[in-house]
Amino acid sequence: MATSFVPRAVFPYLDSLPRSYFLGHHAAGLSKMKTMLSSIDLVIECRDYRVPLTSRNPLFEESLAGRERLVVYTKKDLGSEGRAEDAWREDIIRQWHRPSQVLFSDHKDKKDVRKVLNFARAHASASNSLTGSRMMVVGMPNVGKSSLLNALRHVGLGKGKASRTGAQPGVTRKIGTVVKIVEGAESGGGVYLVDTPGVFIPYVPDADSMLKLALCGSVKDTIIPPTTLADYLLYHINRNAPDIYSNYSSPTNDITHLLELVARKTGRLQKGGIPDVEGSALWLIQRWRGGQLGKFVLDEITEDAVDRRRLETEGFGGSMNQARKTEKNIRRERSRQRHLDAG
């Protein structure tokens, strides 16, 4: 009699994972953003729809305070299939931001892009500026800032790309030139948008968050071993829909077994017919990032999730030394609690 498949309830804790990807151009970019803030009317912060909590960067709230902010959850097409649970999740996320407005966007969907354009146009009209309204798009690495800018320019003006985009983070490394996205009316000067480099948080508070950000492409694929990321992806797929990879294997919690089967099925074999496990891992990851291996959200979304996340990340948004000191204190408290429990 066949036994029913039981997915893993938790993913193994990996304390050895790197916990930072805060590079020199991240710090330089953030510093430049601060100096430009006086000329900016609206900050458009992009967050990844698949990790709405984890892709929030406290640095933006701390460093770019004092300007109205529109949060746009990008890559909606990679995390939503228009199900009732997707609408329910979006309602909760809206509650997090009230009374501020929040938008969910697929940059390939003109309807979604027009919603962002309409907000920008209305905000510019309310400012009554004769010289036009200047806005800045910010976000973690590879959350789709440049893709959103290009889509806004295309839908708003019918013009081509103004910013380079790529599958890996770090394509935009400096503050870009000011790009017009809305023509000016007789009483105003149009709407202009500034592209910025993605900025990572100085220190990630937990390994799970680092895995989520790496899986979504916010860090380069060389930072975390592909087999580890593929295993983390398998963990989430199994919790959502383990039949997604049925062309390669029956449901399994064994990532090595799955990758060997994928390698043989797709012809990813090394000398002597040995399965290319690492290459197959990267292939699976890219398939998921492209929406061909399930569309789901990695974060747990609840009404109080954003408040709990703020408490968890408190102290991690400042300097690297501050973040490490915060983690050291957390580890010390955990150790103390374990001793108390054991006693």
Side-chain angles (χ1 to χ4, degrees):
M1 181 177 177
T3 57
S4 60
F5 173 69
V6 179
R8 288 171 285 183
V10 295
F11 189 77
Y13 182 73
L14 303 174
D15 197 37
S16 61
L17 281 181
R19 300 275 286 281
S20 178
Y21 191 66
F22 191 67
L23 306 178
H25 70 272
H26 295 173
L30 186 63
S31 178
K32 179 67 174 177
M33 291 177 215
K34 292 180 189 177
T35 66
M36 297 175 64
L37 204 58
S38 61
S39 63
I40 298 298
D41 304 310
L42 176 71
V43 173
I44 299 177
E45 181 184 345
C46 292
R47 298 180 188 176
D48 193 314
Y49 186 99
R50 299 165 295 179
V51 280
L53 288 167
T54 309
S55 60
R56 167 186 166 266
N57 190 340
L59 282 178
F60 296 128
E61 293 169 14
E62 297 168 9
S63 304
L64 306 180
R67 284 293 175 272
E68 186 174 345
R69 180 188 311 267
L70 169 66
V71 176
V72 178
Y73 288 92
T74 59
K75 306 188 182 184
K76 181 182 74 173
D77 54 311
L78 300 179
S80 169
E81 292 185 302
R83 300 159 296 198
E85 63 186 271
D86 296 322
W88 169 82
R89 185 189 306 112
E90 290 173 12
D91 282 342
I92 289 180
I93 294 173
R94 288 189 186 95
Q95 291 176 32
W96 295 348
H97 294 278
R98 285 176 182 161
S100 300
Q101 187 171 352
V102 60
L103 296 174
F104 304 93
S105 178
D106 165 13
H107 75 269
K108 298 183 289 295
D109 187 328
K110 289 186 178 181
K111 182 180 175 182
D112 286 350
V113 176
R114 285 194 184 97
K115 289 179 182 178
V116 182
L117 276 174
N118 290 340
F119 185 96
R121 190 180 287 112
H123 188 275
S125 297
S127 68
N128 294 318
S129 172
L130 295 176
T131 58
S133 180
R134 279 166 172 73
M135 303 177 181
M136 178 186 289
V137 60
V138 304
M140 293 273 274
N142 210 22
V143 294
K145 300 177 300 298
S146 298
S147 294
L148 177 63
L149 184 150
N150 288 333
L152 292 170
R153 176 178 164 87
H154 175 69
V155 175
L157 299 176
K159 295 187 177 180
K161 286 186 177 182
S163 294
R164 290 174 56 225
T165 59
Q168 290 289 293
V171 174
T172 304
R173 299 178 69 89
K174 295 181 179 180
I175 303 290
T177 56
V178 178
V179 176
K180 180 184 283 190
I181 60 171
V182 176
E183 286 288 2
E186 292 182 6
S187 57
V191 179
Y192 300 84
L193 195 59
V194 180
D195 195 11
T196 64
V199 176
F200 208 78
I201 54 177
Y203 204 68
V204 179
D206 56 81
D208 194 57
S209 294
M210 192 67 179
L211 286 167
K212 288 176 182 177
L213 292 169
L215 187 55
C216 289
S218 283
V219 304
K220 286 192 174 179
D221 288 337
T222 53
I223 301 299
I224 294 177
T227 51
T228 300
L229 267 190
D231 192 23
Y232 188 66
L233 172 60
L234 177 63
Y235 162 72
H236 277 282
I237 288 176
N238 284 341
R239 288 166 60 89
N240 285 274
D243 61 333
I244 287 174
Y245 54 87
S246 60
N247 286 341
Y248 310 103
S249 168
S250 57
T252 179
N253 290 315
D254 186 339
I255 187 59
T256 302
H257 174 69
L258 174 61
L259 292 177
E260 288 177 352
L261 291 175
V262 167
R264 296 190 186 283
K265 184 82 172 182
T266 61
R268 287 175 168 75
L269 301 174
Q270 298 174 322
K271 189 175 180 180
I274 298 172
D276 181 0
V277 171
E278 187 168 303
S280 298
L282 284 169
W283 183 79
L284 277 182
I285 292 164
Q286 295 297 343
R287 294 276 292 175
W288 180 75
R289 287 176 182 166
Q292 291 92 39
L293 205 60
K295 298 181 179 183
F296 49 82
V297 171
L298 302 177
D299 285 335
E300 289 286 339
I301 307 303
T302 60
E303 291 182 4
D304 65 344
V306 71
D307 292 327
R308 285 190 284 107
R309 182 67 181 177
R310 284 196 180 100
L311 289 174
E312 291 169 0
T313 57
E314 192 172 328
F316 288 95
S319 67
M320 184 74 79
N321 287 336
Q322 177 192 347
R324 284 177 173 159
K325 184 178 179 180
T326 299
E327 187 192 31
K328 187 176 180 180
N329 290 337
I330 291 172
R331 286 173 181 255
R332 186 184 296 121
E333 179 59 28
R334 284 175 180 166
S335 178
R336 186 183 73 84
Q337 191 60 48
R338 280 197 298 268
H339 284 304
L340 288 174
D341 293 341

